[in-house]
Amino acid sequence: MRILGIETSCDDTGAAIYDSHQGLIVHQLASQVDLHQQYGGVVPELAARDHIRVLLPLIDSLVRDPLNDAKKLDAVAYTAGPGLVGALLVGASLGKSLAQSWGVPAIGVHHMEGHLLSPMLEDNPPEFPFLALLVSGGHTLLVDVEAAGHYKILGQSVDDAAGEAFDKTAKLLGLDYPGGPAIAKAAINGDANRFTFPRPMTNRPGLDFSFSGLKTHTLITAQKHQLDEQTIADIALAFELAVVDTLKIKCSRALSQTMRKRLVVAGGVGANQRLRATLQKLADQNNVRLFYPRAEFCTDNGAMIAYAGYFRLTTEGLANRRLATGKPAVNDYAFDVHPRWSLEDI
Amino acid sequence: MKILAIDTATEACSVALSTAQEIIQKYDIQSIGQPAAHSRLVLQMVEDVLQKSNFRLGNLDAIAVNTGPGSFTGVRIGLGVAQGLAYGADLPVIGVCSLAVLAASIESGVVLPAIDARMNQVYCGLYEVVKSSKPIQLYHPVVVNPGSMPFPVNKSACGLGSGWDVYGDAIIAGIGHNEINRLSVRYPEAKYLAKVAQQSGLESAVAPMQLQATYVRNNIVESRKRLPPGTRPVRHADHARGH
């Protein structure tokens, strides 16, 4: 089966072609970071306008790519939620209609299931069951994945997502957007002994996260000091260490609670090298295997949507279960989107 | 010429299949403010008119679509559907402005179509139809306060569209006379879209990748605070509210 994946849930237009025998064939991403930069955040209407402008040319370039040697694709997967409604509807309307025109099934995919399954695109994919840490600009989730399509949210952020905290901290330190890579770069020259930041919500039981207090703590620290290059590096390091350590503590707790022997980390923050190294150490100590996708599939992308669509369409029981729950079915003519949609409700 | 016409630009959702001999239309009207509901109707309508006419997409010559102005989301649903269907079946697309589609619903005369643009404004333009011919654009589509039409309106003209329902009195006050012939047509319909597309012919068709929306209102972030250059943005939390 060869499947086209379309991602338009926020500010990245992504498309990819995945083949069940050959793996990922081609993929492309058009980022809107420059477009939204001057407004201080994602403007939903501008995001939707950009998606409809670039999506079909992006798909066309993949279909015509010499690497895509198949005459015909067998299915179309598009992100049906969660995300911005106007942005989601671009991918849904184009993807569903293209499938109808080609006479192939279309499937609406859960964006976070895409992230969760993104390590499956790599050479040594994890087997079920596993524990997943999904950390990005919009999400911080710990998910117990018992089997295909069986997800239990163990913990999530009660305020800012981890990636959002990186962005806001970078902004107050005068560093670049997006904040994750900028903070990691500045932290390289930091002195770990100068500041120690709190690890929020780790001194009590539970697996939920909170990052807004850490952000405030960082702000107060920044206000108290002259922000020279060394101080910026020291604060960046203290912040990065606090986030990474907090994520590690919760992962450690979740691993003992679930007894899982595989840990998947995905989402934009999953590309952070310090986080990967720290979780690798945790995994080694606990005889757990760590899995993560390559950096370009940590951020939003079409490849994970193509894979998740393939997974939904071919995993026995999942396609039928969708029909029974009244969520978008594979072969009807509606293309509903779900701006708010829990992983547990797929 | 065999044309499939798709109109989701306003509260109305319609699809028509038009040939030299006949025209078949499916039409539904959504509750105000629910343009996203078109996502449940439009592809079923496409399937219905194709079945009824015994055509497949591959038998058609072109796909026509209402490119706006209207509801931003509705306009994009129409564009996405037209692009997807046309690309998959290797067909060209003919984009038609919603005001021209409204104008095409009259037999002859000068017409001032107005579509409710919210925020106390209307999308409007001025057209002339001569003996059921393709509407001639006398003034290009604009978004304006209903009382300040940027063009003079003759006493013999007629007015139609949802903008007249909401702002009729303000439009009358602005153009300075009450002798305009107000018609009951409120929304564009695919059968008139198909008619304009037939009149425009394949020479006005483009590849689906080249299709563009006619938003008209482009200052959508005017009220937002622009950051000084060099300041960095922060992602919205909207994306996170899914769970």
Side-chain angles (χ1 to χ4, degrees):
Chain A
M1 173 185 270
R2 193 164 277 209
I3 183 165
L4 171 69
I6 297 169
E7 157 64 30
T8 63
S9 68
C10 189
D11 60 347
D12 289 311
T13 317
I17 296 173
Y18 177 84
D19 186 288
S20 51
H21 297 296
Q22 299 171 42
L24 188 63
I25 304 293
V26 276
H27 68 98
Q28 274 205 42
L29 188 75
S31 170
Q32 301 178 0
V33 166
D34 295 344
L35 173 70
H36 301 288
Q37 195 140 6
Q38 60 180 315
Y39 302 107
V42 177
V43 183
E45 174 60 20
L46 287 185
R49 287 186 179 197
D50 210 53
H51 284 309
I52 193 77
R53 195 174 58 77
V54 306
L55 181 57
L56 189 57
L58 203 68
I59 291 170
D60 181 55
S61 73
L62 297 184
V63 170
R64 287 169 186 272
D65 194 299
L67 290 171
N68 179 37
D69 49 354
K71 284 276 172 286
K72 193 175 161 292
L73 298 177
D74 304 303
V76 178
Y78 58 86
T79 305
L84 304 169
V85 63
L88 289 167
L89 274 167
V90 171
S93 59
L94 216 167
K96 183 84 179 182
S97 310
L98 187 52
Q100 185 163 336
S101 191
W102 278 339
V104 301
I107 183 155
V109 166
H110 193 292
H111 180 78
M112 296 313 290
E113 184 172 53
H115 276 303
L116 199 147
L117 297 175
S118 57
M120 302 292 187
L121 293 162
E122 304 305 338
D123 286 340
N124 294 301
E127 288 170 23
F128 298 107
F130 57 77
L131 178 74
L133 172 69
L134 305 178
V135 269
S136 68
H139 310 265
T140 309
L141 286 173
L142 263 171
V143 187
D144 186 34
V145 181
E146 192 195 326
H150 292 260
Y151 309 126
K152 186 164 184 254
I153 296 171
L154 303 175
Q156 55 190 315
S157 181
V158 298
D159 42 56
D160 291 356
E164 205 180 344
F166 267 104
D167 287 342
K168 288 175 178 172
T169 301
K171 190 178 175 187
L172 70 90
L173 292 176
L175 299 172
D176 277 341
Y177 175 87
I183 291 212
K185 194 178 165 203
I188 291 171
N189 300 316
D191 175 1
N193 296 318
R194 184 155 170 216
F195 303 111
T196 305
F197 287 2
R199 275 59 171 156
M201 293 180 79
T202 55
N203 58 354
R204 59 181 117 154
L207 295 169
D208 282 340
F209 304 90
S210 163
F211 291 106
S212 88
L214 177 60
K215 181 190 65 194
T216 308
H217 184 94
T218 311
L219 175 66
I220 292 164
T221 309
Q223 284 168 344
K224 276 189 198 156
H225 294 83
Q226 186 74 34
L227 284 183
D228 54 58
E229 202 173 320
Q230 187 57 48
T231 305
I232 288 171
D234 296 343
I235 293 177
L237 179 60
F239 173 83
E240 189 184 33
L241 284 171
V243 173
V244 166
D245 201 36
T246 303
L247 294 172
K248 185 202 80 178
I249 292 166
K250 301 284 174 165
C251 280
S252 174
R253 255 183 224 175
L255 284 169
S256 347
Q257 190 179 311
T258 58
M259 307 290 282
R260 298 297 182 215
K261 287 295 167 196
R262 284 171 287 266
L263 173 63
V264 162
V265 55
V269 181
N272 182 286
Q273 291 302 321
R274 198 179 300 277
L275 177 65
R276 286 190 175 187
T278 305
L279 291 179
Q280 188 62 61
K281 210 188 243 172
L282 172 77
D284 293 345
Q285 285 162 357
N286 293 278
N287 198 22
V288 165
R289 275 192 73 192
L290 180 66
F291 298 85
Y292 44 78
R294 71 194 85 161
E296 62 186 324
F297 296 153
C298 277
T299 50
D300 291 353
N301 64 86
M304 67 183 195
I305 302 305
Y307 181 83
Y310 157 73
F311 171 83
R312 284 271 149 195
L313 283 167
T314 54
T315 306
E316 202 180 339
L318 286 182
N320 291 336
R321 208 155 70 92
R322 292 183 73 81
L323 290 168
T325 56
K327 291 289 181 193
V330 177
N331 281 318
D332 66 16
Y333 296 105
F335 49 90
D336 283 351
V337 296
H338 314 282
R340 297 169 188 212
W341 187 13
S342 170
L343 255 181
E344 292 181 346
D345 296 338
I346 306 178
Chain B
M1 200 162 58
K2 295 185 279 290
I3 291 178
L4 176 73
I6 295 161
D7 191 329
T8 59
T10 65
E11 289 90 333
C13 178
S14 56
V15 171
L17 201 139
S18 120
T19 65
Q21 288 80 38
E22 61 164 355
I23 185 154
I24 304 166
Q25 175 172 268
K26 288 275 170 182
Y27 178 91
D28 202 337
I29 177 85
Q30 293 300 305
S31 56
I32 304 289
Q34 293 289 321
H38 294 340
S39 66
R40 280 174 220 143
L41 298 171
V42 62
L43 285 177
Q44 182 70 59
M45 289 179 168
V46 168
E47 193 56 27
D48 289 349
V49 299
L50 286 172
Q51 266 189 14
K52 214 168 167 186
S53 62
N54 266 322
F55 283 127
R56 292 184 309 161
L57 282 171
N59 304 132
L60 305 177
D61 296 298
I63 290 181
V65 62
N66 183 336
T67 60
S71 139
F72 294 155
T73 296
V75 165
R76 278 189 293 271
I77 288 175
L79 258 62
V81 168
Q83 283 186 319
L85 294 176
Y87 185 81
D90 206 11
L91 296 174
V93 288
I94 300 172
V96 180
C97 158
S98 57
L99 297 164
V101 176
L102 275 173
S105 63
I106 69 160
E107 298 288 316
S108 69
V110 172
V111 53
L112 167 54
I115 293 173
D116 181 8
R118 311 289 163 87
M119 299 158 76
N120 289 312
Q121 291 192 307
V122 288
Y123 297 116
C124 60
L126 199 63
Y127 295 81
E128 184 173 11
V129 179
V130 184
K131 292 180 192 159
S132 291
S133 66
K134 182 185 168 187
I136 302 156
Q137 183 181 293
L138 303 178
Y139 200 94
H140 63 272
V142 284
V143 58
V144 292
N145 297 328
S148 11
M149 293 294 158
F151 42 75
V153 182
N154 295 338
K155 293 190 175 175
S156 59
C158 50
L160 47 76
S162 60
W164 280 92
D165 294 333
V166 187
Y167 303 111
D169 294 344
I171 297 174
I172 295 291
I175 61 180
H177 63 83
N178 192 11
E179 287 167 57
I180 203 153
N181 178 19
R182 284 172 68 172
L183 305 176
S184 60
V185 178
R186 296 180 75 182
Y187 303 112
E189 289 184 44
K191 59 184 178 186
Y192 299 117
L193 165 62
K195 184 176 161 191
V196 179
Q198 291 281 9
Q199 291 163 338
S200 303
L202 275 181
E203 56 270 27
S204 66
V206 296
M209 270 91 72
Q210 271 134 32
L211 187 64
Q212 288 195 2
T214 315
Y215 294 112
V216 179
R217 177 180 279 151
N218 288 314
N219 58 341
I220 50 152
V221 281
E222 187 185 44
S223 59
R224 277 180 179 252
K225 195 177 129 197
R226 275 195 187 231
L227 298 180
T231 325
R232 277 147 300 275
V234 167
R235 278 176 185 237
H236 257 223
D238 297 33
H239 196 43
R241 291 188 200 133
H243 28 243

